[in-house]
Amino acid sequence: MEKVAIIGAGVSGLTCGVCLAEAGYRTTILAKEAGQHTTSAAAGAIWYPYDVEPLAAAIGWSLQTYEMLFQLSSIPASGVSMIELRTFSRTAQIQIPDWAIALGAQLLPPSASSVGAEPTRAAGL
């Protein structure tokens, strides 16, 4: 059995630890703080595959993470919730990536944008 060490016991570290343990790895989580003493106990996070390489592999990993977070969001005790993310640009529309379209991302109607900003995308991610 292969051994894996996870550094950090926030939501990302714990989720990775559970997933790796379920996949058959002997998993150890190392952290200075745990539970209510972690940033994850009070802070939110944004899921978004951003500036990582190799991009093709990272998109696949990110979509697996999204699916896990989506499943966890249906369990109230998990503490995971899904909210809509809106991105605006003052200069031009940003192209919606193919992976985001597959998850429901779409351009906002003009009435949803604020004064002086071009709507770029909205996604329930």
Side-chain angles (χ1 to χ4, degrees):
M1 177 182 293
E2 291 190 54
K3 298 177 183 178
V4 176
I6 305 291
I7 309 299
V11 67
S12 296
L14 293 176
T15 300
C16 289
V18 168
C19 291
L20 289 166
E22 288 175 346
Y25 291 89
R26 185 169 174 209
T27 306
T28 301
I29 298 175
L30 307 168
K32 182 178 177 182
E33 302 289 343
Q36 294 299 316
H37 301 287
T38 67
T39 302
S40 292
I46 296 174
W47 169 91
Y48 194 86
Y50 173 77
D51 199 24
V52 290
E53 295 292 337
L55 185 58
I59 295 299
W61 300 328
S62 296
L63 293 174
Q64 288 178 331
T65 301
Y66 175 87
E67 181 58 36
M68 179 62 68
L69 292 171
F70 184 78
Q71 290 175 19
L72 287 171
S73 71
S74 68
I75 304 168
S78 74
V80 175
S81 61
M82 307 291 271
I83 60 171
E84 182 177 89
L85 170 67
R86 293 185 178 203
T87 303
F88 295 89
S89 171
R90 292 184 186 272
T91 57
Q93 286 187 350
I94 299 170
Q95 182 68 28
I96 299 174
D98 290 340
W99 62 262
I101 293 170
L103 296 174
Q106 58 189 329
L107 290 176
L108 292 170
S111 63
S113 64
S114 60
V115 175
E118 287 289 322
T120 55
R121 62 181 174 257
L125 308 177

